[in-house]
PDB file of all heavy atoms in Angstrom:
ATOM      1  N   ALA A 710      18.014  59.848  16.991  1.00  0.00           N
ATOM      2  CA  ALA A 710      17.474  58.677  16.281  1.00  0.00           C
ATOM      3  C   ALA A 710      18.585  57.730  15.858  1.00  0.00           C
ATOM      4  O   ALA A 710      18.403  56.469  15.853  1.00  0.00           O
ATOM      5  CB  ALA A 710      16.640  59.062  15.074  1.00  0.00           C
ATOM      6  N   TYR A 711      19.788  58.262  15.513  1.00  0.00           N
ATOM      7  CA  TYR A 711      20.867  57.420  15.034  1.00  0.00           C
ATOM      8  C   TYR A 711      22.017  57.364  16.039  1.00  0.00           C
ATOM      9  O   TYR A 711      23.106  56.866  15.683  1.00  0.00           O
ATOM     10  CB  TYR A 711      21.355  57.958  13.659  1.00  0.00           C
ATOM     11  CG  TYR A 711      20.357  57.735  12.569  1.00  0.00           C
ATOM     12  CD1 TYR A 711      19.353  58.601  12.305  1.00  0.00           C
ATOM     13  CD2 TYR A 711      20.366  56.533  11.875  1.00  0.00           C
ATOM     14  CE1 TYR A 711      18.433  58.363  11.318  1.00  0.00           C
ATOM     15  CE2 TYR A 711      19.444  56.202  10.871  1.00  0.00           C
ATOM     16  CZ  TYR A 711      18.427  57.195  10.603  1.00  0.00           C
ATOM     17  OH  TYR A 711      17.521  56.913   9.646  1.00  0.00           O
ATOM     18  N   GLY A 712      21.808  57.825  17.255  1.00  0.00           N
ATOM     19  CA  GLY A 712      22.785  57.640  18.302  1.00  0.00           C
ATOM     20  C   GLY A 712      24.061  58.400  18.070  1.00  0.00           C
ATOM     21  O   GLY A 712      25.165  57.965  18.484  1.00  0.00           O
ATOM     22  N   ILE A 713      23.935  59.630  17.449  1.00  0.00           N
ATOM     23  CA  ILE A 713      25.118  60.415  17.258  1.00  0.00           C
ATOM     24  C   ILE A 713      25.328  61.352  18.456  1.00  0.00           C
ATOM     25  O   ILE A 713      24.555  62.222  18.730  1.00  0.00           O
ATOM     26  CB  ILE A 713      24.926  61.346  15.973  1.00  0.00           C
ATOM     27  CG1 ILE A 713      24.655  60.502  14.740  1.00  0.00           C
ATOM     28  CG2 ILE A 713      26.154  62.256  15.770  1.00  0.00           C
ATOM     29  CD1 ILE A 713      25.767  59.525  14.378  1.00  0.00           C
ATOM     30  N   ASP A 714      26.458  61.132  19.196  1.00  0.00           N
ATOM     31  CA  ASP A 714      26.756  61.956  20.351  1.00  0.00           C
ATOM     32  C   ASP A 714      28.143  62.556  20.265  1.00  0.00           C
ATOM     33  O   ASP A 714      28.685  63.020  21.303  1.00  0.00           O
ATOM     34  CB  ASP A 714      26.629  61.082  21.656  1.00  0.00           C
ATOM     35  CG  ASP A 714      27.568  59.895  21.653  1.00  0.00           C
ATOM     36  OD1 ASP A 714      28.365  59.724  20.701  1.00  0.00           O
ATOM     37  OD2 ASP A 714      27.510  59.131  22.654  1.00  0.00           O
ATOM     38  N   GLU A 715      28.734  62.528  19.027  1.00  0.00           N
ATOM     39  CA  GLU A 715      30.046  63.046  18.844  1.00  0.00           C
ATOM     40  C   GLU A 715      30.127  63.518  17.440  1.00  0.00           C
ATOM     41  O   GLU A 715      29.593  62.896  16.515  1.00  0.00           O
ATOM     42  CB  GLU A 715      31.117  62.026  19.172  1.00  0.00           C
ATOM     43  CG  GLU A 715      32.538  62.462  19.019  1.00  0.00           C
ATOM     44  CD  GLU A 715      33.522  61.438  19.436  1.00  0.00           C
ATOM     45  OE1 GLU A 715      33.122  60.398  20.059  1.00  0.00           O
ATOM     46  OE2 GLU A 715      34.743  61.608  19.162  1.00  0.00           O
ATOM     47  N   ILE A 716      30.808  64.659  17.205  1.00  0.00           N
ATOM     48  CA  ILE A 716      31.027  65.102  15.842  1.00  0.00           C
ATOM     49  C   ILE A 716      32.487  65.485  15.619  1.00  0.00           C
ATOM     50  O   ILE A 716      33.215  65.799  16.552  1.00  0.00           O
ATOM     51  CB  ILE A 716      30.185  66.304  15.487  1.00  0.00           C
ATOM     52  CG1 ILE A 716      30.269  67.439  16.543  1.00  0.00           C
ATOM     53  CG2 ILE A 716      28.715  65.915  15.310  1.00  0.00           C
ATOM     54  CD1 ILE A 716      29.627  68.707  16.232  1.00  0.00           C
ATOM     55  N   PRO A 717      32.958  65.338  14.404  1.00  0.00           N
ATOM     56  CA  PRO A 717      32.286  64.885  13.184  1.00  0.00           C
ATOM     57  C   PRO A 717      31.941  63.404  13.296  1.00  0.00           C
ATOM     58  O   PRO A 717      32.659  62.629  13.846  1.00  0.00           O
ATOM     59  CB  PRO A 717      33.232  65.120  12.041  1.00  0.00           C
ATOM     60  CG  PRO A 717      34.592  65.068  12.755  1.00  0.00           C
ATOM     61  CD  PRO A 717      34.410  65.668  14.080  1.00  0.00           C
ATOM     62  N   SER A 718      30.725  63.033  12.707  1.00  0.00           N
ATOM     63  CA  SER A 718      30.389  61.654  12.595  1.00  0.00           C
ATOM     64  C   SER A 718      29.896  61.451  11.218  1.00  0.00           C
ATOM     65  O   SER A 718      29.375  62.382  10.513  1.00  0.00           O
ATOM     66  CB  SER A 718      29.272  61.318  13.616  1.00  0.00           C
ATOM     67  OG  SER A 718      29.765  61.088  14.910  1.00  0.00           O
ATOM     68  N   PHE A 719      29.977  60.173  10.721  1.00  0.00           N
ATOM     69  CA  PHE A 719      29.509  59.831   9.406  1.00  0.00           C
ATOM     70  C   PHE A 719      28.725  58.532   9.486  1.00  0.00           C
ATOM     71  O   PHE A 719      29.019  57.642  10.244  1.00  0.00           O
ATOM     72  CB  PHE A 719      30.704  59.557   8.479  1.00  0.00           C
ATOM     73  CG  PHE A 719      31.465  60.830   8.142  1.00  0.00           C
ATOM     74  CD1 PHE A 719      32.519  61.205   9.003  1.00  0.00           C
ATOM     75  CD2 PHE A 719      31.215  61.577   7.007  1.00  0.00           C
ATOM     76  CE1 PHE A 719      33.241  62.410   8.760  1.00  0.00           C
ATOM     77  CE2 PHE A 719      31.920  62.753   6.789  1.00  0.00           C
ATOM     78  CZ  PHE A 719      32.959  63.155   7.620  1.00  0.00           C
ATOM     79  N   ILE A 720      27.640  58.549   8.708  1.00  0.00           N
ATOM     80  CA  ILE A 720      26.853  57.309   8.542  1.00  0.00           C
ATOM     81  C   ILE A 720      26.816  56.919   7.063  1.00  0.00           C
ATOM     82  O   ILE A 720      26.550  57.801   6.215  1.00  0.00           O
ATOM     83  CB  ILE A 720      25.437  57.447   9.061  1.00  0.00           C
ATOM     84  CG1 ILE A 720      25.371  57.657  10.570  1.00  0.00           C
ATOM     85  CG2 ILE A 720      24.635  56.187   8.708  1.00  0.00           C
ATOM     86  CD1 ILE A 720      23.980  57.772  11.144  1.00  0.00           C
ATOM     87  N   VAL A 721      27.060  55.710   6.742  1.00  0.00           N
ATOM     88  CA  VAL A 721      27.082  55.218   5.377  1.00  0.00           C
ATOM     89  C   VAL A 721      25.821  54.371   5.186  1.00  0.00           C
ATOM     90  O   VAL A 721      25.568  53.399   5.900  1.00  0.00           O
ATOM     91  CB  VAL A 721      28.340  54.413   5.008  1.00  0.00           C
ATOM     92  CG1 VAL A 721      28.232  53.893   3.589  1.00  0.00           C
ATOM     93  CG2 VAL A 721      29.518  55.213   5.214  1.00  0.00           C
ATOM     94  N   PHE A 722      24.993  54.706   4.159  1.00  0.00           N
ATOM     95  CA  PHE A 722      23.833  53.938   3.843  1.00  0.00           C
ATOM     96  C   PHE A 722      24.056  53.328   2.478  1.00  0.00           C
ATOM     97  O   PHE A 722      24.614  53.922   1.543  1.00  0.00           O
ATOM     98  CB  PHE A 722      22.597  54.883   3.712  1.00  0.00           C
ATOM     99  CG  PHE A 722      22.055  55.401   5.032  1.00  0.00           C
ATOM    100  CD1 PHE A 722      22.557  56.549   5.561  1.00  0.00           C
ATOM    101  CD2 PHE A 722      21.046  54.740   5.726  1.00  0.00           C
ATOM    102  CE1 PHE A 722      22.082  57.064   6.723  1.00  0.00           C
ATOM    103  CE2 PHE A 722      20.619  55.208   6.897  1.00  0.00           C
ATOM    104  CZ  PHE A 722      21.071  56.377   7.423  1.00  0.00           C
ATOM    105  N   HIS A 723      23.673  52.047   2.386  1.00  0.00           N
ATOM    106  CA  HIS A 723      23.688  51.361   1.091  1.00  0.00           C
ATOM    107  C   HIS A 723      22.319  50.706   0.916  1.00  0.00           C
ATOM    108  O   HIS A 723      21.933  49.804   1.712  1.00  0.00           O
ATOM    109  CB  HIS A 723      24.781  50.326   1.035  1.00  0.00           C
ATOM    110  CG  HIS A 723      24.898  49.623  -0.310  1.00  0.00           C
ATOM    111  ND1 HIS A 723      25.320  50.240  -1.443  1.00  0.00           N
ATOM    112  CD2 HIS A 723      24.576  48.331  -0.640  1.00  0.00           C
ATOM    113  CE1 HIS A 723      25.316  49.368  -2.414  1.00  0.00           C
ATOM    114  NE2 HIS A 723      24.854  48.205  -2.002  1.00  0.00           N
ATOM    115  N   GLN A 724      21.589  51.140  -0.124  1.00  0.00           N
ATOM    116  CA  GLN A 724      20.254  50.638  -0.422  1.00  0.00           C
ATOM    117  C   GLN A 724      19.376  50.739   0.840  1.00  0.00           C
ATOM    118  O   GLN A 724      18.600  49.743   1.137  1.00  0.00           O
ATOM    119  CB  GLN A 724      20.313  49.190  -0.939  1.00  0.00           C
ATOM    120  CG  GLN A 724      21.078  49.122  -2.249  1.00  0.00           C
ATOM    121  CD  GLN A 724      21.180  47.722  -2.864  1.00  0.00           C
ATOM    122  OE1 GLN A 724      20.962  46.738  -2.115  1.00  0.00           O
ATOM    123  NE2 GLN A 724      21.490  47.560  -4.118  1.00  0.00           N
ATOM    124  N   GLY A 725      19.413  51.841   1.528  1.00  0.00           N
ATOM    125  CA  GLY A 725      18.495  52.119   2.631  1.00  0.00           C
ATOM    126  C   GLY A 725      18.967  51.534   3.975  1.00  0.00           C
ATOM    127  O   GLY A 725      18.333  51.723   5.006  1.00  0.00           O
ATOM    128  N   LYS A 726      20.058  50.783   4.003  1.00  0.00           N
ATOM    129  CA  LYS A 726      20.537  50.193   5.226  1.00  0.00           C
ATOM    130  C   LYS A 726      21.812  50.863   5.742  1.00  0.00           C
ATOM    131  O   LYS A 726      22.717  51.201   4.932  1.00  0.00           O
ATOM    132  CB  LYS A 726      20.784  48.691   5.059  1.00  0.00           C
ATOM    133  CG  LYS A 726      19.532  47.917   4.722  1.00  0.00           C
ATOM    134  CD  LYS A 726      19.855  46.410   4.539  1.00  0.00           C
ATOM    135  CE  LYS A 726      18.574  45.608   4.272  1.00  0.00           C
ATOM    136  NZ  LYS A 726      18.872  44.150   4.091  1.00  0.00           N
ATOM    137  N   VAL A 727      21.945  51.006   7.047  1.00  0.00           N
ATOM    138  CA  VAL A 727      23.175  51.531   7.635  1.00  0.00           C
ATOM    139  C   VAL A 727      24.219  50.493   7.620  1.00  0.00           C
ATOM    140  O   VAL A 727      24.040  49.393   8.133  1.00  0.00           O
ATOM    141  CB  VAL A 727      22.943  51.972   9.129  1.00  0.00           C
ATOM    142  CG1 VAL A 727      24.273  52.448   9.724  1.00  0.00           C
ATOM    143  CG2 VAL A 727      21.904  53.086   9.175  1.00  0.00           C
ATOM    144  N   ILE A 728      25.329  50.756   6.908  1.00  0.00           N
ATOM    145  CA  ILE A 728      26.407  49.777   6.834  1.00  0.00           C
ATOM    146  C   ILE A 728      27.648  50.219   7.594  1.00  0.00           C
ATOM    147  O   ILE A 728      28.592  49.386   7.760  1.00  0.00           O
ATOM    148  CB  ILE A 728      26.731  49.373   5.357  1.00  0.00           C
ATOM    149  CG1 ILE A 728      27.245  50.632   4.586  1.00  0.00           C
ATOM    150  CG2 ILE A 728      25.554  48.773   4.690  1.00  0.00           C
ATOM    151  CD1 ILE A 728      27.807  50.308   3.242  1.00  0.00           C
ATOM    152  N   GLU A 729      27.690  51.456   7.976  1.00  0.00           N
ATOM    153  CA  GLU A 729      28.851  51.932   8.735  1.00  0.00           C
ATOM    154  C   GLU A 729      28.478  53.250   9.480  1.00  0.00           C
ATOM    155  O   GLU A 729      27.702  54.088   8.961  1.00  0.00           O
ATOM    156  CB  GLU A 729      30.017  52.290   7.741  1.00  0.00           C
ATOM    157  CG  GLU A 729      31.269  52.823   8.434  1.00  0.00           C
ATOM    158  CD  GLU A 729      32.021  51.755   9.193  1.00  0.00           C
ATOM    159  OE1 GLU A 729      32.128  50.608   8.677  1.00  0.00           O
ATOM    160  OE2 GLU A 729      32.475  52.087  10.316  1.00  0.00           O
ATOM    161  N   LYS A 730      28.957  53.321  10.685  1.00  0.00           N
ATOM    162  CA  LYS A 730      28.812  54.571  11.455  1.00  0.00           C
ATOM    163  C   LYS A 730      30.116  54.820  12.187  1.00  0.00           C
ATOM    164  O   LYS A 730      30.604  53.942  12.821  1.00  0.00           O
ATOM    165  CB  LYS A 730      27.652  54.477  12.497  1.00  0.00           C
ATOM    166  CG  LYS A 730      27.377  55.792  13.201  1.00  0.00           C
ATOM    167  CD  LYS A 730      26.107  55.722  14.035  1.00  0.00           C
ATOM    168  CE  LYS A 730      26.316  54.950  15.358  1.00  0.00           C
ATOM    169  NZ  LYS A 730      25.122  55.138  16.273  1.00  0.00           N
ATOM    170  N   THR A 731      30.682  55.991  11.922  1.00  0.00           N
ATOM    171  CA  THR A 731      31.962  56.282  12.531  1.00  0.00           C
ATOM    172  C   THR A 731      32.037  57.724  13.006  1.00  0.00           C
ATOM    173  O   THR A 731      31.270  58.575  12.519  1.00  0.00           O
ATOM    174  CB  THR A 731      33.107  55.995  11.506  1.00  0.00           C
ATOM    175  OG1 THR A 731      34.405  56.195  12.112  1.00  0.00           O
ATOM    176  CG2 THR A 731      33.013  56.899  10.285  1.00  0.00           C
ATOM    177  N   SER A 732      32.975  58.034  13.890  1.00  0.00           N
ATOM    178  CA  SER A 732      33.100  59.415  14.392  1.00  0.00           C
ATOM    179  C   SER A 732      34.581  59.718  14.473  1.00  0.00           C
ATOM    180  O   SER A 732      35.418  58.898  14.507  1.00  0.00           O
ATOM    181  CB  SER A 732      32.389  59.561  15.734  1.00  0.00           C
ATOM    182  OG  SER A 732      32.941  58.685  16.697  1.00  0.00           O
ATOM    183  N   GLY A 733      34.823  61.041  14.557  1.00  0.00           N
ATOM    184  CA  GLY A 733      36.190  61.519  14.735  1.00  0.00           C
ATOM    185  C   GLY A 733      36.773  61.935  13.373  1.00  0.00           C
ATOM    186  O   GLY A 733      36.231  61.656  12.301  1.00  0.00           O
ATOM    187  N   PHE A 734      37.883  62.629  13.474  1.00  0.00           N
ATOM    188  CA  PHE A 734      38.615  63.128  12.303  1.00  0.00           C
ATOM    189  C   PHE A 734      39.190  61.984  11.445  1.00  0.00           C
ATOM    190  O   PHE A 734      39.737  61.032  12.003  1.00  0.00           O
ATOM    191  CB  PHE A 734      39.718  64.082  12.712  1.00  0.00           C
ATOM    192  CG  PHE A 734      40.457  64.644  11.519  1.00  0.00           C
ATOM    193  CD1 PHE A 734      39.947  65.713  10.775  1.00  0.00           C
ATOM    194  CD2 PHE A 734      41.641  64.116  11.119  1.00  0.00           C
ATOM    195  CE1 PHE A 734      40.612  66.213   9.722  1.00  0.00           C
ATOM    196  CE2 PHE A 734      42.384  64.585  10.052  1.00  0.00           C
ATOM    197  CZ  PHE A 734      41.852  65.660   9.324  1.00  0.00           C
ATOM    198  N   ARG A 735      39.063  62.073  10.200  1.00  0.00           N
ATOM    199  CA  ARG A 735      39.617  61.091   9.221  1.00  0.00           C
ATOM    200  C   ARG A 735      40.407  61.814   8.136  1.00  0.00           C
ATOM    201  O   ARG A 735      39.913  62.786   7.572  1.00  0.00           O
ATOM    202  CB  ARG A 735      38.514  60.236   8.549  1.00  0.00           C
ATOM    203  CG  ARG A 735      37.670  59.405   9.540  1.00  0.00           C
ATOM    204  CD  ARG A 735      36.504  58.798   8.831  1.00  0.00           C
ATOM    205  NE  ARG A 735      36.839  57.655   8.010  1.00  0.00           N
ATOM    206  CZ  ARG A 735      36.706  56.389   8.404  1.00  0.00           C
ATOM    207  NH1 ARG A 735      36.231  56.094   9.554  1.00  0.00           N
ATOM    208  NH2 ARG A 735      37.071  55.386   7.537  1.00  0.00           N
ATOM    209  N   GLU A 736      41.592  61.339   7.802  1.00  0.00           N
ATOM    210  CA  GLU A 736      42.345  61.834   6.635  1.00  0.00           C
ATOM    211  C   GLU A 736      41.634  61.395   5.452  1.00  0.00           C
ATOM    212  O   GLU A 736      40.772  60.495   5.433  1.00  0.00           O
ATOM    213  CB  GLU A 736      43.743  61.328   6.694  1.00  0.00           C
ATOM    214  CG  GLU A 736      44.601  61.806   7.831  1.00  0.00           C
ATOM    215  CD  GLU A 736      44.923  63.265   7.815  1.00  0.00           C
ATOM    216  OE1 GLU A 736      44.605  63.961   6.818  1.00  0.00           O
ATOM    217  OE2 GLU A 736      45.500  63.765   8.815  1.00  0.00           O
ATOM    218  N   GLU A 737      41.952  62.027   4.286  1.00  0.00           N
ATOM    219  CA  GLU A 737      41.167  61.783   3.061  1.00  0.00           C
ATOM    220  C   GLU A 737      41.134  60.319   2.638  1.00  0.00           C
ATOM    221  O   GLU A 737      40.076  59.815   2.230  1.00  0.00           O
ATOM    222  CB  GLU A 737      41.773  62.640   1.897  1.00  0.00           C
ATOM    223  CG  GLU A 737      40.948  62.551   0.650  1.00  0.00           C
ATOM    224  CD  GLU A 737      41.457  63.492  -0.427  1.00  0.00           C
ATOM    225  OE1 GLU A 737      41.964  64.582  -0.109  1.00  0.00           O
ATOM    226  OE2 GLU A 737      41.271  63.196  -1.655  1.00  0.00           O
ATOM    227  N   PRO A 738      42.256  59.583   2.649  1.00  0.00           N
ATOM    228  CA  PRO A 738      42.183  58.154   2.285  1.00  0.00           C
ATOM    229  C   PRO A 738      41.187  57.367   3.114  1.00  0.00           C
ATOM    230  O   PRO A 738      40.441  56.512   2.532  1.00  0.00           O
ATOM    231  CB  PRO A 738      43.631  57.648   2.513  1.00  0.00           C
ATOM    232  CG  PRO A 738      44.474  58.851   2.348  1.00  0.00           C
ATOM    233  CD  PRO A 738      43.679  59.972   3.017  1.00  0.00           C
ATOM    234  N   LYS A 739      41.118  57.613   4.391  1.00  0.00           N
ATOM    235  CA  LYS A 739      40.179  56.894   5.261  1.00  0.00           C
ATOM    236  C   LYS A 739      38.775  57.393   4.968  1.00  0.00           C
ATOM    237  O   LYS A 739      37.802  56.637   5.045  1.00  0.00           O
ATOM    238  CB  LYS A 739      40.510  57.089   6.702  1.00  0.00           C
ATOM    239  CG  LYS A 739      41.740  56.379   7.213  1.00  0.00           C
ATOM    240  CD  LYS A 739      41.433  54.884   7.254  1.00  0.00           C
ATOM    241  CE  LYS A 739      42.587  54.063   7.824  1.00  0.00           C
ATOM    242  NZ  LYS A 739      42.294  52.602   7.794  1.00  0.00           N
ATOM    243  N   LEU A 740      38.592  58.680   4.685  1.00  0.00           N
ATOM    244  CA  LEU A 740      37.276  59.195   4.365  1.00  0.00           C
ATOM    245  C   LEU A 740      36.791  58.583   3.076  1.00  0.00           C
ATOM    246  O   LEU A 740      35.596  58.284   2.901  1.00  0.00           O
ATOM    247  CB  LEU A 740      37.360  60.696   4.271  1.00  0.00           C
ATOM    248  CG  LEU A 740      36.069  61.492   4.042  1.00  0.00           C
ATOM    249  CD1 LEU A 740      35.087  61.181   5.151  1.00  0.00           C
ATOM    250  CD2 LEU A 740      36.331  62.930   3.917  1.00  0.00           C
ATOM    251  N   LYS A 741      37.705  58.366   2.097  1.00  0.00           N
ATOM    252  CA  LYS A 741      37.310  57.832   0.793  1.00  0.00           C
ATOM    253  C   LYS A 741      36.784  56.405   0.954  1.00  0.00           C
ATOM    254  O   LYS A 741      35.912  55.966   0.231  1.00  0.00           O
ATOM    255  CB  LYS A 741      38.529  57.860  -0.120  1.00  0.00           C
ATOM    256  CG  LYS A 741      38.202  57.352  -1.557  1.00  0.00           C
ATOM    257  CD  LYS A 741      39.399  57.506  -2.497  1.00  0.00           C
ATOM    258  CE  LYS A 741      39.037  57.084  -3.905  1.00  0.00           C
ATOM    259  NZ  LYS A 741      40.130  57.333  -4.828  1.00  0.00           N
ATOM    260  N   GLU A 742      37.283  55.716   1.977  1.00  0.00           N
ATOM    261  CA  GLU A 742      36.822  54.303   2.221  1.00  0.00           C
ATOM    262  C   GLU A 742      35.311  54.322   2.440  1.00  0.00           C
ATOM    263  O   GLU A 742      34.647  53.311   2.126  1.00  0.00           O
ATOM    264  CB  GLU A 742      37.526  53.702   3.426  1.00  0.00           C
ATOM    265  CG  GLU A 742      39.004  53.430   3.135  1.00  0.00           C
ATOM    266  CD  GLU A 742      39.736  52.819   4.353  1.00  0.00           C
ATOM    267  OE1 GLU A 742      39.068  52.730   5.424  1.00  0.00           O
ATOM    268  OE2 GLU A 742      40.942  52.608   4.257  1.00  0.00           O
ATOM    269  N   LEU A 743      34.761  55.368   3.074  1.00  0.00           N
ATOM    270  CA  LEU A 743      33.340  55.425   3.340  1.00  0.00           C
ATOM    271  C   LEU A 743      32.512  55.503   2.104  1.00  0.00           C
ATOM    272  O   LEU A 743      31.490  54.892   1.914  1.00  0.00           O
ATOM    273  CB  LEU A 743      33.012  56.623   4.266  1.00  0.00           C
ATOM    274  CG  LEU A 743      33.722  56.599   5.616  1.00  0.00           C
ATOM    275  CD1 LEU A 743      33.272  57.844   6.397  1.00  0.00           C
ATOM    276  CD2 LEU A 743      33.350  55.354   6.462  1.00  0.00           C
ATOM    277  N   PHE A 744      33.068  56.230   1.127  1.00  0.00           N
ATOM    278  CA  PHE A 744      32.407  56.440  -0.195  1.00  0.00           C
ATOM    279  C   PHE A 744      32.433  55.145  -0.953  1.00  0.00           C
ATOM    280  O   PHE A 744      31.485  54.730  -1.583  1.00  0.00           O
ATOM    281  CB  PHE A 744      33.091  57.542  -1.013  1.00  0.00           C
ATOM    282  CG  PHE A 744      32.706  58.953  -0.525  1.00  0.00           C
ATOM    283  CD1 PHE A 744      33.234  59.476   0.583  1.00  0.00           C
ATOM    284  CD2 PHE A 744      31.854  59.728  -1.293  1.00  0.00           C
ATOM    285  CE1 PHE A 744      32.931  60.683   1.073  1.00  0.00           C
ATOM    286  CE2 PHE A 744      31.509  60.975  -0.868  1.00  0.00           C
ATOM    287  CZ  PHE A 744      32.089  61.479   0.296  1.00  0.00           C
TER     288      PHE A 744
END
């Protein structure tokens, strides 16, 4: 449904809307950007 064909993958939702979709390894500072 969300076009995920690679893992790890992350989707960021804000107020019900997808605002970011990314895949691949991320170090902690980059991961924190999603939060």
Side-chain angles (χ1 to χ4, degrees):
Y711 289 89
I713 302 297
D714 59 3
E715 181 177 348
I716 52 173
S718 281
F719 293 86
I720 295 181
V721 178
F722 289 87
H723 182 70
Q724 297 181 342
K726 295 181 179 180
V727 175
I728 61 171
E729 180 70 43
K730 185 170 79 169
T731 184
S732 61
F734 180 80
R735 298 171 75 99
E736 296 289 354
E737 187 174 331
K739 286 292 184 180
L740 185 58
K741 185 173 182 178
E742 290 177 1
L743 301 180
F744 285 73

